[in-house]
Amino acid sequence: MTANQTLNLPARPTRSFIGETIELSSWDDVQPLYEELLDRSIDNDEELKQWLIDRSELESYLSENFAWRYIRMTCDTANEELVDKLNFFISEIQPPMTTFGNELDLRAVNSPFLSELTDDGYDVMVRGMKKAIEIYRDENIPLQTELQTEERKYGAIVGSMTVAIDGREMTLPEASDRLQSTDRAVREEAWRKIWERRYQDHEVLDQLFDRLRDLRNQIAINAGFANFRDYSFAALGRFDYSPQDCVNFHDSVARAVVPLVNKVAEERKQKLQEADPSVDPLRPWDAKVDVEGRAPLKPFSTGNELLEKTIVCFDRLDRELGDDLRIMRAMGHLDLESRKGKAPGGYNYPLEEIGVPFIFMNATSSLRDLVTMVHEGGHAVHSFLTRDLSLKAFRNPPMEVAELASMSMELLSMDHWDVFFDNPDELRRAKLQHLESIIETLPWVATIDKFQHWIYEHPSHTDAERRERWVQIYNQFADTVTSWNGFAFYQEYVWQRQLHLYEVPFYYIEYGIAQLGAIGVWRNYRRDPKAGLAGYKNALSLGYKAPIREIYAAADVPFDFSYDHIQELMGFVWSEIESLKNQSAE
């Protein structure tokens, strides 16, 4: 019997309301279902609960239908048929779906029986409905449709970028692996070619971003907000923190973390100079090479090997976690290797009906790919832990919680990375590189978030003003050791590599908040592995049936991004880094 045959593969729940034979070829296929929900008599709290369940069934079907269209398009961005199928949903299904969704929200919040729904989660769900009603405007529906169509252009533009090195065409992720070469000339060539290629499309990406900015600003104005930043806080349901809290986060990171970034960069420069005195100044292409002159870490060779080793790694934490990935493999819910035509980046896409998500990424063979795999695997675990919750609203936690799942898994799995590295020295290198990357992550999150605040608080800015402001913010959070001399024209466009700015605006501070939570989860696990892992799973199992602070509390970590807390956590991370360095010296 094979491993797949021993698995209990999940089945899609019975479609009690929408019917088993439903096919989405036009809005007419689902409009009667929406009308039935609007017209149905609701005479007590039990009938209201069933109404919510039926609504969830319909919306879960539509969510998964859209998800597969998006997944297939990102796996093959050059396939016009797949692009058309996605655009059909965006243009023909989402607009009326949004209108009816607002009417259903109104029906729910105005029900006389709503106050009788006292079980956990309903209050959080209703809070979100009321906010959605508050910001809804009919005139924004065509703008949102246009916006989504424009946003998808970014992936097609970037996904088509390739470079030729040593006579071979490479995707940018493939070429980026050369930035780890111990030959400085090889690194510089790869870096120059990557940025030459990115720069070729900088005007196209600038023009695209201008269109996105203007559409977003108009949507905000229509909804009665001063700017898109304030609108986004409402649309994203940020009930637990404010724009000022984000500003405080930026300042705290600048004070508590950037000095460590400088320290890491200075140490890197000194060590590289010991072997190569020409490393003065430190250049952008020197950021990823091993400072001891060792070959790049190669934790796997193929996508299958990456998956197999990740399953073993998850098994060591909890067999159930490894089985989650086995189920995804058996169901074909993985596309891991980089190839031409794939959209950039990586994601775990929840599939609301079946409850088994899809992981997409662009793996080559680097440590970064390993981290991406366990990161997305953490998201997948979250999907499995919430798949049996009764309502779609309960299964969709805010990003601050979703990223807690993924970023915690990066650290929880790290103690088992010997699966990828038989050599103890390579294992220490991998851990050290990842911990140093965490120190780099927080300033980068602050950079992107602060940049977005400025962009949408100044919606009439020119391209030149945007470039100038970007460089100012970038320099506030970057190390002062690395020199971009001679490449200022590239530095002005570093922001264009950040997919989130184009496709999911204001979805970035969550990474910083969750990174702090993840360090706390990892510290708990270090102190007591059984209790630490249980807290992690308990928190994720809540889905969105509790406010963010309560979910973090279930994991026994504070929802806190003050200077004192960040400084304390950075002290813990730095002590782990020092411990690994001391092991290497022994």
Side-chain angles (χ1 to χ4, degrees):
M1 181 176 286
T2 67
N4 286 346
Q5 289 174 321
T6 66
L7 290 173
N8 181 21
L9 298 183
R12 173 179 56 74
T14 301
R15 292 170 175 169
S16 303
F17 172 58
I18 65 175
E20 295 294 342
T21 59
I22 187 171
E23 293 288 341
L24 185 65
S25 58
S26 74
W27 174 249
D28 291 340
D29 295 319
V30 291
Q31 181 171 333
L33 296 167
Y34 275 97
E35 291 174 341
E36 196 281 338
L37 289 170
L38 284 173
D39 296 338
R40 184 190 303 181
S41 175
I42 301 174
D43 297 321
N44 55 59
D45 62 318
E46 289 303 317
E47 290 183 357
L48 177 58
K49 285 183 180 179
Q50 186 59 51
W51 183 90
L52 289 167
I53 289 171
D54 291 345
R55 177 184 179 179
S56 177
E57 181 183 309
L58 172 59
E59 292 179 341
S60 294
Y61 164 76
L62 290 169
S63 172
E64 184 162 323
N65 188 285
F66 175 83
W68 279 115
R69 293 168 190 261
Y70 178 79
I71 290 165
R72 289 167 180 144
M73 184 279 293
T74 56
C75 290
D76 186 3
T77 60
N79 187 320
E80 292 185 5
E81 181 182 357
L82 297 178
V83 173
D84 289 343
K85 286 181 177 181
L86 176 65
N87 287 336
F88 160 78
F89 194 106
I90 293 171
S91 62
E92 302 298 325
I93 304 300
Q94 281 192 339
M97 192 170 79
T98 302
T99 301
F100 274 93
N102 181 67
E103 294 179 19
L104 294 178
D105 283 346
L106 285 166
R107 177 117 204 257
V109 301
N110 290 325
S111 170
F113 307 105
L114 188 64
S115 61
E116 298 178 32
L117 303 186
T118 57
D119 293 343
D120 289 345
Y122 285 110
D123 56 338
V124 175
M125 177 187 70
V126 171
R127 180 183 67 172
M129 285 183 179
K130 289 180 177 178
K131 184 59 69 174
I133 291 168
E134 179 186 324
I135 68 174
Y136 175 85
R137 298 292 186 278
D138 284 332
E139 59 266 35
N140 277 341
I141 293 176
L143 295 179
Q144 289 164 337
T145 300
E146 182 181 357
L147 181 61
Q148 280 195 289
T149 301
E150 291 293 313
E151 286 170 345
R152 301 307 171 207
K153 293 179 180 178
Y154 177 81
I157 294 168
V158 177
S160 67
M161 292 181 180
T162 61
V163 295
I165 300 179
D166 292 342
R168 186 167 75 87
E169 184 181 31
M170 301 180 182
T171 65
L172 298 196
E174 289 175 318
S176 294
D177 284 348
R178 294 191 166 220
L179 298 177
Q180 300 179 66
S181 171
T182 56
D183 186 330
R184 199 180 193 208
V186 170
R187 299 198 303 272
E188 181 175 352
E189 179 192 24
W191 187 91
R192 284 175 177 268
K193 290 204 169 185
I194 289 169
W195 277 101
E196 284 169 4
R197 181 61 190 88
R198 287 188 181 279
Y199 193 73
Q200 284 178 26
D201 284 336
H202 79 273
E203 290 184 356
V204 172
L205 289 172
D206 250 348
Q207 292 164 6
L208 173 60
F209 193 80
D210 286 342
R211 293 195 298 275
L212 296 174
R213 175 202 60 194
D214 294 344
L215 283 167
R216 290 164 181 165
N217 185 63
Q218 189 59 54
I219 287 170
I221 298 301
N222 289 350
F225 289 85
N227 55 62
F228 184 72
R229 191 272 310 271
D230 294 346
Y231 172 86
S232 292
F233 268 70
L236 292 169
R238 289 183 175 171
F239 298 100
D240 296 81
Y241 60 100
S242 68
Q244 185 57 49
D245 289 323
C246 294
V247 173
N248 295 343
F249 171 82
H250 306 156
D251 293 341
S252 296
V253 168
R255 293 167 57 203
V257 188
V258 172
L260 296 179
V261 173
N262 268 316
K263 190 172 183 179
V264 169
E266 187 58 44
E267 289 179 0
R268 166 169 291 275
K269 176 184 173 182
Q270 290 176 2
K271 290 200 171 185
L272 288 175
Q273 280 183 327
E274 290 174 6
D276 183 358
S278 72
V279 182
D280 186 15
L282 196 70
R283 288 297 214 163
W285 50 84
D286 297 320
K288 301 301 179 184
V289 63
D290 181 72
V291 294
E292 303 290 344
R294 294 164 293 193
L297 291 169
K298 190 176 181 180
F300 63 94
S301 297
T302 66
N304 285 336
E305 184 184 353
L306 170 61
L307 177 60
E308 286 289 349
K309 289 182 174 180
T310 304
I311 289 173
V312 174
C313 191
F314 278 30
D315 278 345
R316 290 187 182 179
L317 286 167
D318 185 330
R319 172 71 189 205
E320 179 183 321
L321 308 186
D323 281 347
D324 291 344
L325 295 181
R326 290 185 178 91
I327 289 169
M328 295 173 70
R329 177 177 61 188
M331 296 179 69
H333 286 207
L334 300 153
D335 188 335
L336 305 182
E337 294 185 352
S338 178
R339 63 178 179 273
K340 183 180 179 181
K342 283 182 75 172
Y347 59 75
N348 174 85
Y349 209 124
L351 296 169
E352 288 291 346
E353 275 203 300
I354 190 65
V356 177
F358 189 101
I359 290 180
F360 167 100
M361 59 181 289
N362 282 277
T364 51
S365 60
S366 69
L367 175 63
R368 182 64 246 172
D369 296 327
L370 184 169
V371 174
T372 298
M373 182 68 216
V374 296
H375 176 103
E376 303 304 343
H379 281 308
V381 165
H382 202 181
S383 292
F384 278 94
L385 287 171
T386 59
R387 70 180 302 272
D388 292 328
L389 295 178
S390 60
L391 297 180
K392 179 176 178 289
F394 296 165
R395 298 191 297 268
N396 283 253
M399 292 303 104
E400 297 84 356
V401 176
E403 295 304 337
L404 178 69
S406 57
M407 302 184 96
S408 294
M409 185 57 76
E410 295 176 16
L411 292 165
L412 292 174
S413 68
M414 194 167 66
D415 286 341
H416 306 288
W417 284 2
D418 58 296
V419 171
F420 294 93
F421 303 102
D422 295 331
N423 184 304
D425 287 334
E426 290 191 345
L427 177 60
R428 281 192 290 270
R429 280 178 62 195
K431 291 180 177 181
L432 189 60
Q433 285 182 29
H434 184 52
L435 291 179
E436 289 181 347
S437 77
I438 287 175
I439 290 175
E440 295 167 356
T441 292
L442 289 168
W444 181 250
V445 168
T447 302
I448 295 298
D449 192 62
K450 185 170 183 175
F451 185 50
Q452 292 195 92
H453 280 248
W454 181 86
I455 284 171
Y456 294 107
E457 287 183 287
H458 302 84
S460 60
H461 67 263
T462 65
D463 291 352
E465 289 170 337
R466 184 164 64 219
R467 291 195 301 272
E468 180 182 5
R469 187 59 176 162
W470 164 255
V471 172
Q472 290 174 355
I473 295 172
Y474 180 89
N475 287 337
Q476 180 185 359
F477 295 101
D479 71 80
T480 57
V481 181
T482 304
S483 171
W484 283 76
N485 186 38
F487 299 101
F489 53 100
Y490 290 159
Q491 187 185 26
E492 292 175 343
Y493 290 99
V494 170
W495 62 273
Q496 289 186 343
R497 75 183 190 193
Q498 193 62 60
L499 172 149
H500 299 70
L501 293 170
Y502 286 85
E503 295 191 358
V504 278
F506 283 101
Y507 176 11
Y508 216 69
I509 188 71
E510 294 89 343
Y511 290 109
I513 295 169
Q515 184 69 82
L516 300 176
I519 295 169
V521 168
W522 180 45
R523 184 167 60 173
N524 292 342
Y525 180 77
R526 278 297 187 86
R527 292 169 175 168
D528 185 335
K530 184 176 180 181
L533 185 62
Y536 170 74
K537 293 177 67 177
N538 289 341
L540 303 191
S541 297
L542 288 172
Y544 201 18
K545 296 181 71 175
I548 296 174
R549 292 179 186 276
E550 292 183 18
I551 296 172
Y552 272 56
D556 196 24
V557 294
F559 185 74
D560 179 4
F561 32 102
S562 65
Y563 168 74
D564 289 342
H565 185 58
I566 293 177
Q567 187 178 47
E568 177 191 350
L569 292 177
M570 288 301 99
F572 171 70
V573 172
W574 193 258
S575 69
E576 292 290 324
I577 288 174
E578 290 297 310
S579 176
L580 288 167
K581 288 179 178 177
N582 290 336
Q583 290 176 34
S584 299
E586 290 173 359

